[in-house]
Amino acid sequence: MTETRIVKIVMVGSLALLVTFDSLIDYETNYAFVRHVLSMDTTPPGDTLMHRSIASPSLSRTAYALIIASEGATALGFAGGAALLLRLLRTQAACFNRAKGLTAVVAGLGFLVCFLGLHRGRGRVP
């Protein structure tokens, strides 16, 4: 039972480390991807969703900054969730399981960042 809990803690802690790392370490490459998705530059002509495209570099940078901030909040939430689970490692199952609620909320935030922040266009990924 303790091994399973340790695996859960390690997984949540790993997510905390990885969520924002790539966006910060290789900013320009990731920004180019975000700009591509937001501009919908490979969407077929006449697509009815082109009204959602964002071609402005300043708006794209702002959107990317919001994505990074949201990723940062997600990373902090995962770190807090991992710390809470680690603190409760040897408690009763009901207590440990209730503490997983924070991680579930943070995972939902991470999903929203990915779904709303990155997968809004229908263009092809380069």
Side-chain angles (χ1 to χ4, degrees), residues 2-85:
T2 301
E3 296 83 6
T4 304
R5 289 182 179 189
I6 291 171
V7 168
K8 291 175 184 179
I9 293 166
V10 168
M11 290 172 66
V12 172
S14 297
L15 288 170
L17 293 174
L18 296 176
V19 167
T20 312
F21 182 76
D22 285 346
S23 294
L24 296 176
I25 201 74
D26 193 3
Y27 178 91
E28 286 303 323
T29 300
N30 288 298
Y31 168 68
F33 171 75
V34 169
R35 188 181 68 233
H36 164 71
V37 171
L38 293 177
S39 71
M40 298 171 65
D41 57 2
T42 57
T43 302
D47 190 305
T48 58
L49 294 178
M50 284 304 291
H51 68 279
R52 298 182 344 175
S53 68
I54 299 172
S56 165
S58 61
L59 285 177
S60 294
R61 291 253 182 222
T62 301
Y64 189 42
L66 289 171
I67 290 169
I68 291 173
S70 299
E71 288 174 342
T74 302
L76 289 174
F78 277 134
L84 179 62
L85 293 176

Side-chain angles (χ1 to χ4, degrees), residues 107-125:
L109 174 61
F111 171 81
L112 289 175
V113 170
C114 184
F115 185 73
L116 296 177
L118 293 176
H119 296 287
R120 55 180 303 286
R122 293 195 320 197
R124 292 186 322 264
V125 174

Side-chain angles (χ1 to χ4, degrees), residues 88-108:
L88 299 173
L89 178 64
R90 301 203 185 280
T91 62
Q92 293 182 353
C95 184
F96 186 84
N97 289 334
R98 273 193 310 273
K100 291 190 289 186
L102 172 61
T103 301
V105 169
V106 173

